[in-house]
Amino acid sequence: MAKCDEGYLCDVCGQDVPELTDSDMYLRYVVGMLDPEVLHTTPERHIRCNPVLAQYIVAPDFAPVVVEGPFDKRTLDPAYVAEQEGLVTRGWRRLNEVAKSEIPIIQYPLPEVLNEIARRSAHS
């Protein structure tokens, strides 16, 4: 099978990332951590294969992820943790919404991220 026919393989575990809702790359894009111009060159991984980011998803339908060590959210500033939980959880919910729709990829990000992308492109 040609490499392009394989789909997206996780850069961490090597398994297929079959669903948009499992995609760390698209979650980071939706929340503004990844510029749209680099989507095609960014390695893919499962959300759970990036536990440092996954730990910030706080939702009843997402089993909590615990990180041990210096990036454990339990050891970080509570205000920062609350901000990240809000952003990443909203991003994960948005990812689940867009997976059920037929909107173009450029419209996947959260509204504030879309506004920032538009602002940057207006100034370039």
Side-chain angles (χ1 to χ4, degrees):
M1 178 182 294
K3 183 78 173 156
C4 62
D5 293 334
E6 292 178 8
Y8 293 100
L9 298 179
C10 178
D11 198 38
V12 175
C13 73
Q15 298 298 309
D16 187 37
V17 181
E19 303 293 329
L20 186 67
T21 55
D22 295 326
S23 172
D24 168 75
M25 178 182 68
Y26 279 105
L27 175 59
R28 289 183 295 129
Y29 169 58
V30 166
V31 299
M33 295 177 175
L34 192 61
D35 197 88
E37 283 86 25
V38 298
L39 276 176
H40 67 288
T41 61
T42 300
E44 178 62 287
R45 61 180 85 117
H46 298 98
I47 291 172
R48 291 186 172 283
C49 286
N50 182 359
V52 171
L53 183 64
Q55 71 179 331
Y56 293 111
I57 299 173
V58 181
D61 45 347
F62 188 87
V65 172
V66 176
V67 173
E68 300 292 334
F71 298 105
D72 180 342
K73 73 178 185 178
R74 298 169 297 179
T75 67
L76 301 176
D77 176 67
Y80 172 79
V81 170
E83 178 183 309
Q84 291 303 298
E85 286 178 344
L87 175 66
V88 178
T89 300
R90 284 188 311 112
W92 183 75
R93 287 186 180 128
R94 176 70 178 155
L95 197 58
N96 280 272
E97 289 172 13
V98 300
K100 298 173 190 166
S101 72
E102 294 189 19
I103 65 171
I105 290 173
I106 196 67
Q107 293 177 4
Y108 285 12
L110 294 169
E112 64 268 38
V113 175
L114 287 174
N115 290 339
E116 179 59 22
I117 291 169
R119 187 192 68 74
R120 281 194 320 243
S121 65
H123 289 99
S124 38

